[in-house]
């Protein structure tokens, strides 16, 4: 059973082995954290953007990339807090559209199915999930009210995993 923990810490400084980033299938990122992740992990962004252009990335799916490590130059990471895998959780069809509950549910099921072999065979034990694109900040928004329970419902049954759900500072813990 997975341990889910809510946090306000920066997701880009976490020591997670798998980083889960909610994205759209248009290939456009507007969230400041996603934009920073685009520059920090260019191999992930290029593969995600190519899949969006090809039309092979559908709403409600998940694209997991194994990161390539840079061997020379300033891109070498000496700290151990860089993720080995990045999951692009496709929760909407446009950067200005909010996630819909069926799309988020389908994407979480796809993530759950793809992460099981990584837990079993690659030893993944720490996951960080960016929740800001899932929460609109409007108290009456249905998706915001349902997203955290959906995350709990679909991710808590994963074995031997610690999942940090990174919330914006404006959300109370």
């Amino acid at each position: 059973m997975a341990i889910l923990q809510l946090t306000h810490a920066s997701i880009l400084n976490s020591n997670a082995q798998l980083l889960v980033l909610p994205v759209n299938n248009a290939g456009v990122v507007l969230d400041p954290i996603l934009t920073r992740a685009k520059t920090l992990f260019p191999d992930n962004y290029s593969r995600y953007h190519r899949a969006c252009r090809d039309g092979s990335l559908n709403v409600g799916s998940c694209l997991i990339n194994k990161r390539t490590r840079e061997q020379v130059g300033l891109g070498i990471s000496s700290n151990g807090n860089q993720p080995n895998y990045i999951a692009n959780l496709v929760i909407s069809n446009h950067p200005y559209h909010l996630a819909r509950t069926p799309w988020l549910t389908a994407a979480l099921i796809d993530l759950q199915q793809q992460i099981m072999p990584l837990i079993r065979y690659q030893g993944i034990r720490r996951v960080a999930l960016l929740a800001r694109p899932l929460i609109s900040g409007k108290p009456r928004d249905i998706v915001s009210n349902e997203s955290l329970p959906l995350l709990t419902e679909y991710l808590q049954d994963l074995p031997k995993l610690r999942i940090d759900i990174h919330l914006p500072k404006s959300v109370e813990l």
Side-chain angles (χ1 to χ4, degrees):
M1 185 138 196
I3 298 169
L4 278 78
Q5 182 177 358
L6 301 176
T7 181
H8 287 303
S10 172
I11 191 167
L12 298 176
N13 293 332
S14 74
N15 62 351
Q17 297 166 300
L18 172 69
L19 203 61
V20 181
L21 304 173
V23 294
N24 57 61
N25 73 340
V28 178
V29 292
L30 298 177
D31 187 272
I33 294 175
L34 294 176
T35 304
R36 180 74 177 132
K38 173 182 165 180
T39 58
L40 284 175
F41 314 118
D43 53 332
N44 174 63
Y45 180 75
S46 65
R47 188 164 176 217
Y48 156 70
H49 190 68
R50 191 173 344 130
C52 291
R53 274 196 332 251
D54 297 345
S56 60
L57 198 58
N58 298 321
V59 177
S61 64
C62 181
L63 174 67
I64 295 183
N65 296 320
K66 178 164 177 48
R67 292 205 44 238
T68 57
R69 300 290 181 170
E70 295 188 22
Q71 301 297 323
V72 295
L74 297 174
I76 296 175
S77 174
S78 60
N79 58 1
N81 68 349
Q82 294 292 316
N84 296 330
Y85 296 90
I86 298 178
N88 298 291
L89 197 66
V90 186
I91 57 163
S92 72
N93 59 354
H94 192 274
Y96 291 121
H97 295 169
L98 294 175
R100 295 187 184 151
T101 303
W103 293 345
L104 180 57
T105 303
L108 287 172
I109 291 170
D110 194 20
L111 172 67
Q112 186 182 40
Q113 292 171 350
Q114 290 187 45
I115 201 172
M116 283 304 288
L118 296 177
I119 294 169
R120 255 188 216 127
Y121 305 118
Q122 301 300 322
I124 297 293
R125 296 292 176 255
R126 294 180 317 272
V127 175
L129 186 139
L130 178 64
R132 181 168 41 190
L134 301 173
I135 300 171
S136 71
K138 300 174 188 170
R140 297 181 62 196
D141 187 14
I142 294 171
V143 174
S144 292
N145 295 335
E146 292 179 2
S147 60
L148 290 177
L150 279 175
L151 291 173
T152 303
E153 179 182 345
Y154 287 101
L155 299 179
Q156 74 180 355
D157 291 335
L158 293 168
K160 303 177 186 174
L161 210 56
R162 187 182 111 208
I163 304 171
D164 292 332
I165 300 173
H166 293 263
L167 297 169
K169 292 191 184 340
S170 61
V171 175
E172 296 287 324
L173 289 181

